[in-house]
Amino acid sequence: MKPVRKAVFPVAGLGTRFLPATKAVPKEMLPVVDKPLIQYAVDEARAAGIEQMIFVTGRGKAAIEDYFDIPYELQATLNEKGKHDILDLIADTRLAPGHAAFIRQQEPLGLGHAVWCARDLIGDEPFAVLLPDELLWNPASPCLKQMTETYAAKGGNVVSVLEVPEAHTDRYGIVDPGAADGAVTEVRGLVEKPKTNPPSRLAVVGRYILQPEIMELLAKGERGAGNEIQLTDAMAKLIGVQPFHAQTFDGVRHDCGDKAGFIQANVALALERADLADDVRAFLKTL
Ligand code: G1P
């Protein structure tokens, strides 16, 4: 079984839900406490042994590319001033030379199309997809790491899932579940944003380990929910052909594509920080 070495980060979205903040700043660069959202996803990938980060960007997203570059002037200035703690912090965000690739999705044709744009960089290897809007928080056992362990045992394709309220099933890719073994459930079917009769309340929460054959299915460009090329529809066609499992995420999910979820993530992560928790808690108590 080939190891998962590459990850795709679809970051071409316009971020309309966060306007006007996202008029000039990509939504993936909005900070949760003091790190941009994209850094959490990249750190999660690194913790799972991913080496090659592939960002599918679009117009107006240059800040993401600059962020993963070496900030030469900033480093020189900090060095002169002897600010070594801050230099260490910045060094932690650096990717190895040649390990970050940026390609553009020229038209907003859907998540499936964004992933397909990375096909030549993926080649014939399994790969991960991480949607940075979803901050899946378990520092001791990051989500993609949990999934690579399942992948090592089962092979094929693995998606992370969580139970959502029945009323919210029309916002997600929903799993039709088969036999369950602890946190791992066989996937019998997948439906993108079902308007009626959801097969379960198990929603896909933005983390995928996929086999490269999905690219051939995405290449057909078939439209699904919202008239977009859906990753879910291509995944559904792999069920029965390759192993397909859902792994219930053990951790806390913050939906940072949503304003309330984004604010909650900031509060929750600040309360976990030794340097911030007391001040933030004291302020919250005054509300
Ligand atoms: C995408 C996927 C959906 C998944 C969701 C998780 O939808 O298409 O299957 O459940 O991400 O956040 P989007 O939120 O981009 O509409």
Side-chain angles (χ1 to χ4, degrees), residues 64-75:
I64 300 175
E65 203 161 333
D66 286 342
Y67 176 81
F68 286 107
D69 204 348
I70 295 179
Y72 200 77
E73 303 86 341
L74 182 62
Q75 278 189 189

Side-chain angles (χ1 to χ4, degrees), residues 111 131 134 171-173 192-193 204-206 208 230 232:
L111 177 59
L131 309 188
E134 296 274 6
R171 302 179 187 176
Y172 301 97
E192 181 67 12
K193 303 192 173 85
V204 176
V205 286
Y208 312 78
Q230 294 290 355
T232 303

Side-chain angles (χ1 to χ4, degrees), residues 164-181:
V164 297
E166 175 115 28
H168 293 177
T169 49
D170 62 354
R171 302 179 187 176
Y172 301 97
I174 301 293
V175 167
D176 180 2
D181 176 11

